[in-house]
Structures are given as structure tokens and as C-alpha cells.
Amino acid sequence: MKQILKGAGLFALAMAAAGSAAANKADDTLNIAFSKELENVDSYFNSAREGVILQRSIWDGLVYRDPHSGEYKGNLATDWKWVDGKTLEFNLRKGVTFHNGEPFDADDVVATVNWVADEKNGVKTQRNVNWMDNAEKIDQFKVRIHLKAPFPAAIEYLAGPVSIYPNEYYAEVGPTGMGLNPVGTGPYKVVSVEPGKHFVLEKYENYHKDSPKDQPSIGRLDIRTIPDFNTQAAELFSGGLDWVWQVPPDQAESLGMMGDFTVANESTMRIGYLQFDAAGRSGEDNPFTKKLVRQAISHAIDREAIVQSMLQGKSRVVNSACFPSQFGCEQDVKTYDYDPAKAKQLLAEAGYPDGLEIDFYAYRDRSYAEAMLGYLEAVGIKSNFKLLQYSALRELNMKGEVPMSFQTWGSYSINDASAIVSQYFKLGNLDSAQDQQIKEWLDVADSSVDPDERKEYYSKALKRIAEEAYWLPLFSYNANYVFTKDLEYAPTTDAIPRFFQMSWK
């Protein structure tokens, strides 16, 4: 579904800007555009993707996961071991300093963990930290992290959202000060912040030499918030920008045809899915308590056609309630091929030979939702479409008032099935299935330190979710990146651009 006028508009912008490109490679500055405002850079007090991207460049964690191999490597820790099912011990790297000159040691780890694990301090995304109880200093370069319960995904979280902060500085400035003047040990240090608008980072010359992130190559990152893509495109052509992302498919295609930029596409860990109120929380007359209705809808939607015509790129149909690369994401589950005749048959068997009328909620991607509404109408399901803000839809979900919805989840780029399936199927207020058996299986998978046992029990849970059609997983999302041909960059499926791994050709 190409938008020809938009593509033509890009060509016009290119002609208008011809001959005015600046060579940003020459002054070693990578000019970057974010589309969304980031008000607080403190990684514990924002949940935006832009915040995750900055977090990886400004701060380090104890562990680093190689985005290509999936291997865990020591970062601020050199090595670690499980003392028991609830205790991790880390030997810390010596000779590391924060951007403000403060030396790194066990006191920083203990202070960070004890601060973020305390719920009263209000870390925004509690699931990233609420599995930790406290940290204990063994000596200057050895710590133990005590978990509230066995949590084998701990290393994945310590390699991702759990950054280590300088204890003295953070005690002095808190989240507000860290947001305005961030200090970490990461490959880039922040030299200026204009909240929500403009961030300037410079290569940290004293970045520790043994980091698995490697040494940053580009000297300066200039990041501006530019919500309008046409404005971003104009700046690309004029040389005011070198790198943009989340470019709409039709516009990425047009830019690629010009030959002036590199256009790269990669799948992300975000998946779209339909959620059904199988538990009947939204009312006794809710048709989604009937398995046949849920299966009928699953057969009614041509997911492959939506991927091919609308998402394009490296998006793919997803059959399991997780992203395929995540640990424990079983793929051998019941699938629902596009079969409108089968859908009508199942509706009739469920007691709806003449079809039915439903409320259909969504919070984003209206065009995708409307395509699904068309497929439903074709098998006799009339939908009352309700497009809400994410916060409003989430609140209704928590109250159990949503019979059916189109939603998405990116797992915060955590490469473990617990980051999605265990968030939605353990009888919490977002669980529309309320299946006790699934909860029991997930409890085992989430707590066992035996990888094979974890896989076995995630498999049991995911197979039942698919068999009962509690969700209809739809597709993975993808992201388009457009950047100057002078830049060496390869995107990854976790949708975290690592500026410290970019370089000039």
C-alpha cells in the first residue's frame, strides 16, 4: 500500500536540498533524530524506547548480552556465579571510573540495587527491578545480589535495564539531577541536555578498555527531537541529519530508490496480538468465553496478507505468544491458517449462525486494526471499533472491561519468554484468560535454574495458550533505518541502536 504522493514529496525535497549536504563525517558528529520526546534521561524513570537507547550508551550494567550471538559477557563484572537459587555473586571490574571521575566499586552496585529494588522510590518499570531484594558488599570488588525468589532470567535483566549508578552522585542529585546531568560509566558521556528536545553526547575517552561493548568510534552524538518525518527527511537531504529510524515503509522505499542513503530494515521484538476475554470478566454475555468463537476469529484474519501488504520488511507472522528469539519461546504450537469458511463454521457451531456483534479495542496502528475489522465483517462479525490512548486501554484492561483488543508488546527488549508470557498469563489484572494451570506451569518456568526444565514448562504454557486461543499472536513489527552512506551500521532485532558500535566508513 504505497502512498505515492508522500514518495513524490520526498523526491521534491531532495531536489530542493540538492547541493547543500554537509559532511558530518568531517567533524566527527553523528546527527540523529528522535521522533518522541524524552523528558527524563534517568533510565529508571522513563520507559520510552528512546530512553532505552540512551541508557545503553551512557550507562553500563554488570553484564552485557551480545546482540548477535546472544552470549552473556562480563561488563562492570568480570564474572559471576549462582551461590544458590536466590543469590548471585559478582566479581567486579577494577579500574573503572564514572564520567565525573568517581571510581567504580561495590558501593555503587549496592547503592543502585538497594535504591531501585525499594518500591517506595518509584522506579517506573517495576518488573525490571522488583525481582531483586537487596545487594550485599562482600569486599571492595565483590558483591552479592539477593533475589526475592528464584529468577533465572536475572542475568538477562542485569544485561539490559539494570544500569549501575555512581552512589555518591546519585545520593546528591537523585532522579531529577540524573535526568538533567546524567553520569554513568558508559561509552558516551552527556555534555548537555535540553529535556525532551536536544541531547549532546561525546565519546568517553576513559571508557574501560575491556568492555564487551568495545570502544566508541564516533566522537560526538547530536540528538534532536523532530516529531514530523517530513522535517526529518528535509534535514536528511540538507545534511542536517545523518541517521533516522522508524521510517514509514512507503517513505523508506522512496528514499532507497534515490540511492543517496542507506536504507536498512530489521524485525523487532515487538509483536502484535489479539487478546480475548476468555475469562468472561467483561460480562456474562461475552462471546469470547467460548473457545469456538476465539478460534473462529483466529481463522478469519489473513495475517500473512497484512504482513505482506502493510508491515512489509522483515516482519513475519507469529504463532506463539512471544517473540521467536526469546528463551523458552516454543514455536511448535497450534496454528490458525486463514480460512474464512472454517471461521463461519465455527461461529455456527458456537451458536452464532448469523454472526455476532462485538466491541473491538485498539490503541495504535489504526490501519492494521481496520484491516482486521474487514476480515471479521467478511465472516459475519460486526465490530464497534474503539481507538483509545494506551493508558486508557490499559486501565480498562486492568478492570477487566475489554472483551477483545488489538495490542502490542515489545518485552523491553528482554530476550526471555518471561518478559511477555509471564506478564499476561499469571492471573494478574491484565490476564484475560485466568487459567490456573498456565499460571502453575509458568511459576515453574520462571523459577527453575534448569534451562531444560524452563523450556519444558514454557512449552506447556504456550501450547495451551495456542490450543485454547486465549490470544491470537499476529506478527512481529519491523523498523526502517535511513542513514548517510558514510555510516557503518547494522540494526539488530532488539530495536536498540547502539551508537557505540557505529563508525564512519
Side-chain angles (χ1 to χ4, degrees):
M1 297 184 177
K2 301 175 184 176
Q3 299 180 38
I4 303 299
L5 289 176
K6 285 188 177 180
L10 289 177
F11 279 105
L13 283 170
M15 294 301 293
S20 61
N24 298 306
K25 176 181 176 180
D27 64 10
D28 201 18
T29 297
L30 182 66
N31 293 297
I32 298 160
F34 283 169
S35 299
K36 299 176 183 176
E37 293 185 1
L38 180 68
E39 294 297 338
N40 192 339
V41 186
D42 186 326
S43 64
Y44 290 112
F45 289 89
N46 75 72
S47 59
R49 175 62 44 171
E50 291 75 11
V52 174
I53 294 169
L54 287 178
Q55 178 234 354
R56 297 299 203 274
S57 287
I58 300 168
W59 290 281
D60 286 323
L62 295 173
V63 185
Y64 177 73
R65 176 171 55 81
D66 187 298
H68 303 289
S69 69
E71 179 185 359
Y72 294 111
K73 302 176 180 180
N75 193 355
L76 291 179
T78 57
D79 57 85
W80 60 91
K81 66 178 181 180
W82 286 96
V83 176
D84 55 47
K86 293 171 57 179
T87 308
L88 274 164
E89 184 173 281
F90 295 86
N91 289 311
L92 305 181
R93 195 176 300 280
K94 299 177 181 178
V96 178
T97 58
F98 288 92
H99 301 153
N100 64 351
E102 189 176 324
F104 163 76
D105 61 17
D107 291 333
D108 303 297
V109 179
V110 171
T112 299
V113 170
N114 290 345
W115 167 266
V116 301
D118 188 342
E119 188 175 354
K120 76 173 185 292
N121 289 324
V123 169
K124 187 173 182 67
T125 306
Q126 279 292 310
R127 66 177 61 87
N128 288 342
V129 297
N130 63 8
W131 49 273
M132 295 184 289
D133 187 29
N134 65 82
E136 172 192 6
K137 179 179 178 179
I138 305 302
D139 62 35
Q140 186 178 3
F141 292 101
K142 181 176 288 189
V143 298
R144 286 184 175 180
I145 296 180
H146 300 281
L147 284 55
K148 292 177 180 176
F151 185 57
I155 297 301
E156 173 67 17
Y157 281 81
L158 292 168
V162 181
S163 301
I164 303 302
Y165 282 10
N167 67 312
E168 296 174 8
Y169 180 72
Y170 204 54
E172 177 185 346
V173 304
T176 301
M178 187 65 91
L180 294 172
N181 188 17
V183 172
T185 61
Y188 281 95
K189 63 180 181 180
V190 178
V191 296
S192 70
V193 170
E194 188 177 354
K197 297 180 180 179
H198 193 192
F199 313 96
V200 179
L201 284 65
E202 289 182 353
K203 178 167 61 176
Y204 181 39
E205 298 294 348
N206 292 324
Y207 189 53
H208 55 102
K209 302 302 181 186
D210 295 322
S211 171
K213 291 181 176 179
D214 296 327
Q215 295 298 304
S217 176
I218 296 174
R220 188 177 179 90
L221 309 177
D222 193 300
I223 304 169
R224 288 177 291 147
T225 301
I226 305 176
D228 177 59
F229 178 73
N230 286 331
T231 304
Q232 292 184 16
E235 292 224 25
L236 273 173
F237 296 129
S238 69
L241 286 175
D242 303 302
W243 183 95
V244 300
W245 74 321
Q246 297 178 325
V247 179
D250 60 304
Q251 294 167 327
E253 182 180 0
S254 296
L255 286 163
M257 291 170 59
M258 296 177 189
D260 296 326
F261 306 98
T262 299
V263 178
N265 178 274
E266 185 54 82
S267 175
T268 74
M269 291 177 67
R270 180 170 297 277
I271 69 167
Y273 60 91
L274 292 182
Q275 184 179 44
F276 306 116
D277 180 21
R281 299 192 301 167
S282 60
E284 294 181 0
D285 59 346
N286 166 23
F288 301 108
T289 58
K290 299 181 179 181
K291 178 179 175 179
L292 292 175
V293 171
R294 303 192 300 268
Q295 291 181 324
I297 289 176
S298 299
H299 281 296
I301 294 173
D302 192 343
R303 298 174 293 162
E304 189 64 47
I306 293 175
V307 168
Q308 294 299 322
S309 65
M310 304 183 76
L311 283 95
Q312 303 174 14
K314 292 189 178 180
S315 288
R316 64 184 108 165
V317 170
V318 175
N319 293 312
S320 202
C322 46
F323 184 73
S325 75
Q326 291 178 309
F327 179 90
C329 186
E330 173 66 73
Q331 297 300 299
D332 183 18
V333 300
K334 181 178 177 62
T335 59
Y336 297 89
D337 296 333
Y338 175 55
D339 189 340
K342 179 72 170 176
K344 291 179 181 179
Q345 174 193 332
L346 291 171
L347 286 174
E349 292 177 11
Y352 303 99
D354 299 321
L356 72 159
E357 186 171 345
I358 62 171
D359 289 335
F360 184 107
Y361 288 79
Y363 76 93
R364 61 178 286 171
D365 301 320
R366 185 185 189 112
S367 60
Y368 303 168
E370 289 177 341
M372 287 183 269
L373 295 177
Y375 286 120
L376 295 179
E377 186 172 358
V379 300
I381 299 175
K382 185 179 297 184
S383 304
N384 303 311
F385 183 45
K386 301 184 180 185
L387 187 68
L388 306 179
Q389 294 292 324
Y390 173 73
S391 58
L393 179 54
R394 182 179 175 85
E395 183 176 349
L396 287 178
N397 264 318
M398 293 173 71
K399 294 178 180 177
E401 297 178 4
V402 179
M404 174 180 170
S405 58
F406 164 45
Q407 299 190 63
T408 76
W409 189 251
S411 297
Y412 291 94
S413 296
I414 298 296
N415 203 35
D416 192 279
S418 64
I420 178 168
V421 66
S422 301
Q423 301 300 322
Y424 287 95
F425 288 95
K426 292 184 71 171
L427 308 186
N429 54 18
L430 291 173
D431 183 353
S432 61
Q434 298 291 310
D435 188 314
Q436 178 68 35
Q437 178 63 79
I438 290 178
K439 195 264 187 188
E440 291 175 4
W441 285 334
L442 291 176
D443 282 343
V444 176
D446 290 345
S447 61
S448 173
V449 295
D450 180 345
D452 290 335
E453 185 175 43
R454 294 192 74 210
K455 290 179 181 178
E456 176 187 354
Y457 280 85
Y458 281 132
S459 175
K460 289 174 182 286
L462 290 164
K463 284 178 180 292
R464 182 170 173 85
I465 291 167
E467 176 64 36
E468 295 294 324
Y470 289 139
W471 276 18
L472 174 64
L474 296 166
F475 38 69
S476 66
Y477 280 74
N478 70 76
N480 290 303
Y481 306 79
V482 179
F483 47 93
T484 173
K485 286 187 174 293
D486 286 335
L487 185 66
E488 193 73 52
Y489 170 60
T492 54
T493 57
D494 60 8
I496 302 175
R498 293 166 172 82
F499 298 125
F500 49 86
Q501 291 181 343
M502 299 182 186
S503 61
W504 300 117
K505 292 181 179 178

